[in-house]
Amino acid sequence: MKREEDIRNAIETMKRGGVILYPTDTVWGLGCDATNAEAVEKIYRIKKRNDSKALICLVDSDARLQRYVKTVPGVAWELIDTVTEPTTVILDGAVNLAPNLIADDGTIGIRITKEPFSHELCYRFQKAVVSTSANVSGQPTAQNYDDISEEILAAVDYVCFARRQEHKPHKPSTIIKIAMNGEFKIIRK
């Protein structure tokens, strides 16, 4: 299947409120429209995860990131501009997202993806896309397509074809929480 068709199918699935399984700039992920609370709830059910544990979302650009956070601190922009590995920033003042995607303290974990497939998916969808590891909570993270359990494969509405043949190590993103005053804390390295 051509990448354009794969992305079009994934976008159509998300527009209908469905959940996709897709390769990201880190590990394989479960994704949906980050503004659709029912779709976000489906992901929590698939992962068997308490919705008090917030999910991450991906965007394609600085401009798109700014749609989902009231104010981005300068130190966050410096970090985003200098990191070479996928890095998720947790920022205060989340807006325009499904309420069940936003943490109780009003923060959101968000990452600008540069990986070709997930970047084009976010660009063409024109919205933030949920990105959480394609596994049941507590189970090993699926680094490659072959690592994904049958339970997860059966639970999603669309499985992307991109990078299914890949067999190389991948790891989750670094996560850094950045407060409005510029203070930061490394949550995951």
Side-chain angles (χ1 to χ4, degrees), residues 32 36-46 49 51 100:
C32 70
N36 182 327
E38 290 178 16
V40 171
E41 177 57 34
K42 285 181 191 175
I43 289 185
Y44 282 119
R45 282 196 310 267
I46 290 168
R49 181 174 177 169
D51 68 4
N100 55 346

Side-chain angles (χ1 to χ4, degrees), residues 84-141:
T84 56
E85 297 293 317
T87 302
T88 300
V89 291
I90 298 175
L91 300 171
D92 292 319
V95 292
N96 304 319
L97 292 165
N100 55 346
L101 187 60
I102 300 171
D104 292 340
D105 63 359
T107 61
I108 186 66
I110 197 163
R111 182 169 74 249
I112 298 172
T113 179
K114 295 176 178 80
E115 183 272 332
F117 185 87
S118 56
H119 180 270
E120 187 175 347
L121 178 71
C122 291
Y123 173 76
R124 292 192 31 206
F125 189 53
Q126 303 258 311
K127 292 182 184 180
V129 175
V130 168
S131 179
T132 184
S133 58
N135 61 310
V136 171
S137 285
Q139 298 297 314
T141 300

Side-chain angles (χ1 to χ4, degrees), residues 21 30 46-47 133-136 148-156:
L21 182 60
L30 294 168
I46 290 168
K47 286 187 68 72
S133 58
N135 61 310
V136 171
I148 300 167
S149 73
E150 288 297 324
E151 180 179 4
I152 295 291
L153 288 167
V156 300

Side-chain angles (χ1 to χ4, degrees), residues 22 53 118 143 145 161 163:
Y22 70 115
K53 288 189 76 178
S118 56
Q143 293 184 37
Y145 177 78
F161 285 85
R163 293 178 38 207

Side-chain angles (χ1 to χ4, degrees), residues 4-71:
E4 297 80 31
E5 184 181 355
D6 202 13
I7 287 174
R8 188 170 44 251
N9 291 342
I11 288 170
E12 288 306 315
T13 300
M14 290 189 292
K15 283 181 178 177
R16 290 191 310 268
V19 173
I20 64 169
L21 182 60
Y22 70 115
T24 74
D25 54 342
T26 59
V27 297
W28 272 75
L30 294 168
C32 70
D33 177 349
T35 66
N36 182 327
E38 290 178 16
V40 171
E41 177 57 34
K42 285 181 191 175
I43 289 185
Y44 282 119
R45 282 196 310 267
I46 290 168
K47 286 187 68 72
K48 299 178 182 172
R49 181 174 177 169
N50 185 322
D51 68 4
S52 66
K53 288 189 76 178
L55 302 172
I56 291 169
C57 56
L58 294 183
V59 293
D60 65 310
S61 66
D62 294 356
R64 193 106 46 219
L65 184 146
Q66 291 179 88
R67 287 187 190 174
Y68 301 110
V69 181
K70 288 179 187 169
T71 305

